[in-house]
Amino acid sequence: MKLHLRVWRQKNNDTPGGFADYDLNDVSEESSFLEMLDILNEELIEKGDMPVAFDHDCREGICGMCSLTIDGNAHGPERATTVCQLHMRSFKDGDTITIEPWRAKAFPVIKDLVVDRTAFDKVIQAGGFITARTGSAPDANEIPIPKPIADKAMDAAACIGCGACVAACPNGSAMLFTSAKSSQLNMLPQGKAEKDTRVIGMVGAMDEAGFGNCTNYGECQSVCPKEINLDFIAKMNRDYAGAKVRRFLNKAG
């Protein structure tokens, strides 16, 4: 395959960026998107140019580090697929492909296609599972959990925290991510003891990090590589409203 690449190059968040154009020849349609970028970087290094910085880790569709916007789509054109599992057979010979980093105020660009997702870590830290030591982990199945609840919690836990939901949202909202992470714990009996503290803390950390609000565009759900659905946002809103009411009544009493 012959490809024309338009790649966002940016030295750092304080320096304006812009697109650079590259032509690649003899790209196998069986190669992954990241392997195609590896080929580009090898050519750039041979020419003495600076390679393109991009994030990657497991390359098995598990970690979500491969955060790229491809032709305007977070993680590219294939649904429920991370960039590392996207293959060049999804493109045609002669295509022009535009590659950008996640675009969101809360994800500042570190370099080229790499963004800082520390804001997600702060949301997670605000919803810590427990605040007191409880000894060693209990044996499996010691606490019975109805299968429908366990299945729903597992659906939420499938979120890999890649940030595609934020990048796709016109508001830069992180509500799909935050709702999945709070729900996976709040639905289980082990997590209910700190349910109210957790959801209030995580929503507060989300707002403080500069993420926008949800206005029901649904783009987050459509680009999520793990198919997290909007139901979790509704659940988080219910949990949050209930927690605020209970906190108010406790103070009033």
Side-chain angles (χ1 to χ4, degrees), residues 52-241:
V52 177
F54 64 94
D55 258 333
H56 61 94
D57 193 5
C58 71
R59 298 199 178 201
E60 295 179 350
I62 298 172
C63 71
M65 285 295 289
C66 48
S67 50
L68 299 177
T69 299
I70 301 168
D71 291 338
N73 300 305
H75 284 303
E78 299 292 329
R79 288 182 63 87
T81 304
T82 55
V83 172
C84 64
Q85 296 300 300
L86 178 67
H87 288 77
M88 299 314 297
R89 54 180 172 269
S90 299
F91 300 88
K92 298 191 299 291
D93 183 41
D95 271 356
T96 295
I97 304 174
T98 302
I99 310 168
E100 303 171 76
W102 285 166
R103 302 289 192 187
K105 176 184 176 183
F107 291 159
V109 172
I110 296 175
K111 184 177 181 181
D112 294 337
L113 305 174
V114 180
V115 300
D116 183 353
R117 287 175 282 186
T118 301
F120 267 12
D121 296 334
K122 292 180 178 177
V123 173
I124 293 293
Q125 289 165 2
F129 184 49
I130 54 172
T131 54
R133 293 180 62 83
T134 58
S136 58
D139 292 337
N141 299 322
E142 186 173 289
I143 301 175
I145 302 172
K147 189 172 187 308
I149 294 177
D151 288 347
K152 196 70 174 176
M154 184 61 75
D155 289 344
C159 171
I160 55 177
C162 63
C165 50
V166 176
C169 178
N171 303 327
S173 171
M175 291 194 75
L176 192 68
F177 163 78
T178 305
S179 65
K181 293 305 177 187
S182 63
S183 296
Q184 76 179 62
L185 301 175
N186 284 357
M187 286 188 291
L188 298 174
Q190 298 95 324
K192 286 189 182 297
E194 300 191 9
K195 176 181 174 182
D196 288 357
T197 302
R198 177 178 301 110
V199 71
I200 290 175
M202 293 181 82
V203 170
M206 177 184 71
D207 292 341
E208 187 175 336
F211 293 109
N213 290 320
C214 173
T215 47
N216 297 318
Y217 279 99
E219 288 295 317
C220 53
Q221 176 180 274
S222 66
V223 302
C224 177
K226 298 303 177 183
E227 300 185 299
I228 307 295
N229 64 53
L230 297 175
D231 291 349
F232 290 112
I233 294 180
K235 173 174 173 45
M236 183 181 73
N237 287 337
R238 290 194 299 271
D239 287 350
Y240 182 78

